[in-house]
Amino acid sequence: MKTKLIFLIMGLGLMFTVSCTKYPPASDRLLEDLAIITQYDTKIDFNNYHTYSLPTSITKITDKDTTQVTGSTASAILDQIDKDMQSRGFLKVLATDKPDFGISVVYYQNTYVYTYSYNYWYYPYYDWYYPYYPVYYSSYTAGMLNIDLVDLLKIDPVSQKLYVRWNAYVRGLLTGDHTTLEISNSVHQAFVQTPQIKTTAN
Amino acid sequence: MKKIFSIIILVMLSMSVIKAQESSTIGFTPSSYYTFSWNTTFPIGDLNKWVDQPGPAGFDFGGRYIIKNGLTAGFNIAWQRVSKIYDAQTYTIPDKGVAITARNYRFTWMVPFQAVIAYHLRPDRLISPYLGLGIGGDYMEHHLMIQEYDIYETYWDFSLTPEIGILAKFGQFSSWGALLAFNYKWTTNRIKIYETTSSDLQMLNLKVGIVLTIR
């Protein structure tokens, strides 16, 4: 009888342990997952715009310097933007041909450093001692791709300001290991979730 | 054919053992029971819209004291969690032209604490079925994790749990036994995270565990 009980308790314990799944920590979630955030100007009609121009490179801005994203990654991003803009009816032109939209593609990469320490409560004196040494530090690197659709038709005549009619952030991109397909899909998703970007003018 | 015949014989033998045990008495009416069980939660109602997957992470501890005949009163404290990862979920804020697509890690963990009244149909038998009702509160934490962010809300609210179950003692002279129970829980708890607004959280729970019987 005792053996039966021990086996039952062990079985229950095992089932409970197996059932307790744990989520990956925040730093891993940031590395693995992509978040695509878009916002468009709800007051404009995209049918009034016909053409766009696309840069040939992507600017990379980090904590230290400004460089360029090159190679297959840059091609995957720019090609996908090009495909989606054309599928929405826009016509690609050179920057010198006075396009209606200028597309800006910038990649930001920042390293965030933070500190933390353990705090203690002492019984029976409920005093809080802060900070209690040692103080630990950790860091994580976050990357974000920013795509802007800049209105080149309506430039503020006084301030010469340009208006962004749509922007897309792909947060987490190029932070961890993402395939070219995942990069293309994330850029495509930015367009998918903004069906308002389309023109029948051409 | 031989296999089917063997299975039929085995089932008939098991039935006769159960029947024999059902009629066996333990020679006394217990004064109290303590139960510890593994709990699997099946979300229904609005809770199913939030997490549409059973949660096998949970345990339950309870105590019951005989008031009169088979009528018992006691308590139940549990810990339960339901969770699921949803890929590429899109949230929109149409008037602002905003859309967000991301992988969602959603989970709810809860601590129900209830007063329980139960009626044991045959408390002096080896196999003792019961009907119970738990009334009390639930502490719930609903989490939505996107990338490194963890958005969560906590609530304390009322809950009601009708339950049916069976206590099966291991033998006439054993204080220990097995518990198998099934309950339905309704709670006034709610979820209000982003576009998710749920106010009708319900669940079914399956409990498998052990019971300690006190004379």
Side-chain angles (χ1 to χ4, degrees):
Chain A
M1 197 54 62
K2 220 171 189 178
T3 320
K4 268 188 196 171
L5 184 66
I6 289 166
F7 275 119
L8 191 64
I9 291 170
M10 279 171 68
L12 282 172
L14 185 69
M15 281 193 287
F16 181 67
T17 310
V18 169
S19 65
C20 289
T21 52
K22 199 177 181 305
Y23 282 114
S27 53
D28 286 1
R29 296 200 304 268
L30 179 65
L31 286 174
E32 289 163 14
D33 305 344
L34 297 171
I36 298 113
I37 306 146
T38 55
Q39 184 168 26
Y40 72 95
D41 187 339
T42 54
K43 294 188 180 78
I44 67 149
D45 182 358
F46 283 92
N47 276 313
N48 295 331
Y49 301 82
H50 310 168
T51 57
Y52 71 96
S53 71
L54 196 64
T56 51
S57 63
I58 296 171
T59 306
K60 181 181 179 181
I61 300 169
T62 69
D63 301 330
K64 295 171 189 165
D65 54 11
T66 301
T67 54
Q68 300 288 318
V69 178
T70 54
S72 59
T73 305
S75 303
I77 294 166
L78 294 172
D79 288 352
Q80 192 59 51
I81 296 170
D82 202 17
K83 272 184 204 165
D84 279 303
M85 285 299 283
Q86 287 188 39
S87 72
R88 300 295 176 92
F90 294 96
L91 194 67
K92 186 181 176 183
V93 296
L94 294 171
T96 50
D97 292 339
K98 291 190 176 176
D100 299 343
F101 280 131
I103 297 178
S104 155
V105 188
V106 180
Y107 176 67
Y108 298 96
Q109 193 176 62
N110 293 311
T111 300
Y112 301 93
V113 179
Y114 62 96
T115 60
Y116 60 96
S117 63
Y118 294 108
N119 306 308
Y120 294 92
W121 293 84
Y122 288 99
Y123 180 82
Y125 307 104
Y126 295 103
D127 292 329
W128 190 41
Y129 293 90
Y130 177 82
Y132 194 85
Y133 291 99
V135 174
Y136 298 92
Y137 75 91
S138 189
S139 69
Y140 66 92
T141 301
M144 184 172 75
L145 181 76
N146 180 23
I147 306 166
D148 286 334
L149 219 56
V150 183
D151 189 340
L152 299 178
L153 281 183
K154 296 181 183 72
I155 301 169
D156 190 308
V158 183
S159 65
Q160 290 293 297
K161 276 183 184 171
L162 295 167
Y163 296 100
V164 174
R165 301 304 184 190
W166 178 70
N167 61 16
Y169 299 116
V170 184
R171 200 160 184 278
L173 196 70
L174 313 186
T175 303
D177 292 325
H178 294 113
T179 62
T180 307
L181 183 66
E182 284 173 327
I183 293 166
S184 300
N185 285 347
S186 62
V187 172
H188 178 58
Q189 176 57 37
F191 283 90
V192 168
Q193 68 193 42
T194 322
Q196 293 79 8
I197 301 177
K198 64 179 175 190
T199 184
T200 50
N202 293 308
Chain B
M1 192 66 187
K2 207 174 173 184
K3 233 179 198 175
I4 294 168
F5 187 69
S6 310
I7 290 168
I8 291 169
I9 296 281
L10 205 68
V11 169
M12 283 173 74
L13 278 172
S14 330
M15 295 281 281
S16 62
V17 169
I18 289 169
K19 204 166 171 59
Q21 286 198 337
E22 269 181 352
S23 58
S24 302
T25 64
I26 53 172
F28 66 93
T29 301
S31 65
S32 56
Y33 303 99
Y34 290 94
T35 59
F36 181 74
S37 54
W38 172 52
N39 194 344
T40 299
T41 305
F42 300 86
I44 54 173
D46 279 354
L47 187 61
N48 187 268
K49 289 178 193 163
W50 170 245
V51 172
D52 63 353
Q53 183 169 280
F59 65 87
D60 180 288
F61 175 68
R64 285 180 204 166
Y65 310 93
I66 298 275
I67 301 171
K68 199 179 179 185
N69 298 327
L71 191 65
T72 63
F75 67 91
N76 240 69
I77 297 170
W79 179 90
Q80 296 164 258
R81 189 177 75 166
V82 289
S83 62
K84 191 173 176 181
I85 300 171
Y86 289 87
D87 277 320
Q89 292 288 295
T90 302
Y91 294 95
T92 56
I93 309 169
D95 57 323
K96 290 184 178 170
V98 172
I100 303 166
T101 301
R103 178 181 285 178
N104 284 198
Y105 300 82
R106 292 186 205 168
F107 70 90
T108 290
W109 68 267
M110 54 201 112
V111 181
F113 46 94
Q114 295 185 321
V116 177
I117 294 175
Y119 182 69
H120 291 249
L121 303 175
R122 293 180 299 183
D124 57 341
R125 300 292 171 96
L126 278 179
I127 292 178
S128 164
Y130 69 87
L131 303 165
L133 180 69
I135 300 170
D138 263 46
Y139 169 76
M140 282 196 184
E141 253 187 52
H142 310 293
H143 288 254
L144 171 63
M145 299 195 299
I146 296 172
Q147 291 197 324
E148 77 270 41
Y149 298 105
D150 183 358
I151 305 148
Y152 68 95
E153 291 193 345
T154 61
Y155 292 102
W156 292 87
D157 251 301
F158 173 78
S159 67
L160 195 69
T161 311
E163 178 173 299
I164 54 166
I166 293 177
L167 303 179
K169 289 163 198 98
F170 289 146
Q172 280 185 311
F173 302 103
S174 175
S175 304
W176 294 93
L179 163 78
L180 179 67
F182 188 69
N183 70 44
Y184 160 80
K185 184 161 78 182
W186 173 80
T187 169
T188 54
N189 231 300
R190 56 209 176 276
I191 301 169
K192 276 187 181 176
I193 295 178
Y194 274 119
E195 287 179 329
T196 309
T197 306
S198 310
S199 54
D200 177 31
L201 306 186
Q202 301 171 50
M203 67 204 78
L204 299 171
N205 294 299
L206 178 67
K207 298 185 340 188
V208 180
I210 51 170
V211 56
L212 172 66
T213 308
I214 309 288
R215 261 178 193 258

